[in-house]
């Protein structure tokens, strides 16, 4: 099979398409003939040598895919050869085939094609597990997501809105603000021109209940300032650095919580539980058309370097999909 590997840590030019042995399924896994994968910001960090795959994992990039089941392990009962599926991967999505535990596979939601389905697994499982399973956002609460126009952001806005929360987001330009409002955001704050703490307080003086944060250190203190009583800050990205300073009195006074998680390093059993919860709670919203994958563009696997350049420059809104 053809697959994308990094020659060495570096810029997009270290990405190479190479020939590798086809994978075989584990007893509790399937092999998928990949139709499409999608670029995540984590892939850029892996390419730069800053986010290695978990020990023993494949070096092929790619955290999600869609396609057709090509083979099943002897213990697998749910999936049959020929099923149209998408899957949450630990690695290996930028390829023509991948082996994945059966519990990380989902059916393609009703009404979607394989290109659209490839844009879902990583963002849906990340947003669902962090915002709803961990931070327990409630329908009458106020939610803020940073980077509202990115892959995670576009899904977080839609899911929080569909489940009844008020939604604010931060963005870096006016066209991204417009896109987020079209997706349902009640407030889109241009972080280059406005102070997000002031803006969320103007919208709701009692503060934000749940924040999904991609920035880490650079936003830590201001995020906690923006929280209301019993607010929950969930840090999932460190685009603004890893080491921050926080006056714990602010946290104490609000009885607030700071949580940080990584999906990729979770054991397969935990990923399967998240995937099952997503199928139960999110797949119906997609089938009803209330939540949809936002595909910025599709790029051939052979042009993977240009796909990384696009995401690195933040020129996208939603997801950049790679087709085999
Ligand atoms: N922990 C986990 O399990 C997990 C899982 C998935 C993703 N993540 C993390 O989630 C984040 C988003 O991933 P993604 O794939 O959705 O990436 P993405 O599509 O590239 O989105 C990142 C967004 O960050 C925004 N941004 C840049 N500087 C900003 C700032 N100062 N303030 C607010 N927003 C800013 C960019 O928007 P502008 O152009 O508007 O600046 C861009 O839309 C990444 O940090 C990724 O590592 C974590």
């Amino acid at each position: 099979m053809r697959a994308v590997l990094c020659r060495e840590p570096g810029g997009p030019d270290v990405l190479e398409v190479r020939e590798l042995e086809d994978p075989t399924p584990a007893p509790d896994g399937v092999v998928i003939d990949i139709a499409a994968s999608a670029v995540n910001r984590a892939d850029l960090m892996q390419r730069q040598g800053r986010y290695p795959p978990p020990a023993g994992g494949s070096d092929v990039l790619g955290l999600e895919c869609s396609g057709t089941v090509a083979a099943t392990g002897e213990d697998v009962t749910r999936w049959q050869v020929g099923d149209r599926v998408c899957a949450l991967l630990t690695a290996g999505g930028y390829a023509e085939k991948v082996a994945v535990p059966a519990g990380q596979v989902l059916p393609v939601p009703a009404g979607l094609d394989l290109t659209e389905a490839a844009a879902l697994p990583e963002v849906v499982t990340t947003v669902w597990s962090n915002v709803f399973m961990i931070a327990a956002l409630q329908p009458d609460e106020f939610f803020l997501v940073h980077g509202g126009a990115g892959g995670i952001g576009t899904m977080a806005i839609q899911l929080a809105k569909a489940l009844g929360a008020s939604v604010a987001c931060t963005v870096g330009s006016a066209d991204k603000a417009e896109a987020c409002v079209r997706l349902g955001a009640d407030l889109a704050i241009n972080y280059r021109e406005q102070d997000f703490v002031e803006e969320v307080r103007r919208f709701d003086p009692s503060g934000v209940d749940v924040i999904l944060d991609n920035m880490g250190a650079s936003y830590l203190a201001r995020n906690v300032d923006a929280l209301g009583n019993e607010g929950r800050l969930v840090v999932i990205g460190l685009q603004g650095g890893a080491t921050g300073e926080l006056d714990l009195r602010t946290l104490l006074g609000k009885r607030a919580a700071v949580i940080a998680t990584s999906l990729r390093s979770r054991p397969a059993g935990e990923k399967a539980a998240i995937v099952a919860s997503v199928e139960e709670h999110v797949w119906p919203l997609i089938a009803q058309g209330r939540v949809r994958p936002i595909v910025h563009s599709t790029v051939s696997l052979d042009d993977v370097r240009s796909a990384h350049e696009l995401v690195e420059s933040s020129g996208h809104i939603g997801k950049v999909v790679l087709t085999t």
Side-chain angles (χ1 to χ4, degrees), residues 41 122 126 150-152 172 176 191 214 219 236 239 261 263 316:
R41 190 152 282 266
E122 174 71 13
T126 300
I152 293 285
K176 289 190 174 185
Y191 66 81
N214 61 335
Y219 277 8
I236 61 163
Q239 290 170 225
T261 76
L263 180 59
H316 63 297

Side-chain angles (χ1 to χ4, degrees), residues 39-42 44-45 51 63 122-123 126 129-130 145-154 170-173 176 191-192 196 213-215 218-219 235-239 260-265 311-319:
V39 179
N40 287 282
R41 190 152 282 266
L44 277 50
M45 289 161 54
Y51 190 54
L63 300 174
E122 174 71 13
V123 293
T126 300
S129 59
N130 284 292
V145 59
H146 290 297
I152 293 285
T154 49
T170 54
V171 290
S173 67
K176 289 190 174 185
Y191 66 81
R192 296 184 203 277
F196 75 81
D213 175 62
N214 61 335
M215 297 307 293
S218 63
Y219 277 8
V235 179
I236 61 163
L238 303 174
Q239 290 170 225
T261 76
S262 161
L263 180 59
R264 191 187 201 185
S265 58
V311 174
E312 204 145 304
S313 70
S314 268
H316 63 297
I317 292 176
K319 301 277 292 188

